[in-house]
Amino acid sequence: MMIRAFVILAVIFSSVEANTVRVVSCNEIDSEYIASMLATGTLIKAHEIEKTFPRGSLKYSEICEVRNEIIMDGLAFTLYKPDGNNERFISVYNGLDASSKLYGPFKK
């Protein structure tokens, strides 16, 4: 009985780990890329898309997030770099109304 419980828990935790994507803080280059896209007015309704990323198309190092912890405006920017192409996508999360919009694809 204990072995069966252990096996079930191991399967559950391994499947959760396989579907988990880690989000890290963006490095300086990626932060500047997001800031330049925001400053040039690229993140507008015309570039807004509805997209989901296929399982396995994103790697751990390919997702990063920028938040301004000093000015708590509720905005968080996430940069997606899908595996195998030069396209980039930027997600903007508005913590004040819990909305999220995805913009792209942008060339690297």
Side-chain angles (χ1 to χ4, degrees), residues 27-67:
N27 61 28
E28 188 174 335
I29 294 169
D30 289 338
S31 296
E32 288 175 5
Y33 177 78
I34 292 172
S36 71
M37 297 301 268
L38 184 62
T40 59
T42 308
L43 304 180
I44 58 173
K45 182 96 173 139
H47 293 133
E48 187 177 330
I49 60 169
E50 290 186 28
K51 178 177 177 62
T52 57
F53 296 102
R55 186 174 185 203
S57 68
L58 299 171
K59 293 184 179 179
Y60 288 112
S61 62
E62 296 175 326
I63 301 174
C64 67
E65 184 175 69
V66 175
R67 288 178 185 251

Side-chain angles (χ1 to χ4, degrees):
M1 191 65 163
M2 289 287 276
I3 293 173
R4 188 182 337 194
F6 176 75
V7 170
I8 291 172
L9 286 175
V11 168
I12 290 172
F13 286 123
S14 66
S15 66
V16 168
E17 181 65 28
N19 292 324
T20 302
V21 176
R22 182 179 61 159
V23 178
V24 297
S25 292
C26 290
N27 61 28
E28 188 174 335
I29 294 169
D30 289 338
S31 296
E32 288 175 5
Y33 177 78
I34 292 172
S36 71
M37 297 301 268
L38 184 62
T40 59
T42 308
L43 304 180
I44 58 173
K45 182 96 173 139
H47 293 133
E48 187 177 330
I49 60 169
E50 290 186 28
K51 178 177 177 62
T52 57
F53 296 102
R55 186 174 185 203
S57 68
L58 299 171
K59 293 184 179 179
Y60 288 112
S61 62
E62 296 175 326
I63 301 174
C64 67
E65 184 175 69
V66 175
R67 288 178 185 251
N68 190 340
E69 299 296 338
I70 297 171
I71 304 171
M72 297 298 285
D73 58 2
L75 295 178
F77 300 90
T78 307
L79 179 63
Y80 295 94
K81 300 187 263 185
D83 193 24
N85 63 34
N86 289 330
E87 294 180 337
R88 303 293 182 252
F89 299 88
I90 298 175
S91 172
V92 180
Y93 173 76
N94 184 344
L96 300 177
D97 64 2
S99 66
S100 182
K101 295 183 180 184
L102 183 65
Y103 301 94
F106 305 111
K107 296 295 179 192
K108 183 177 176 181

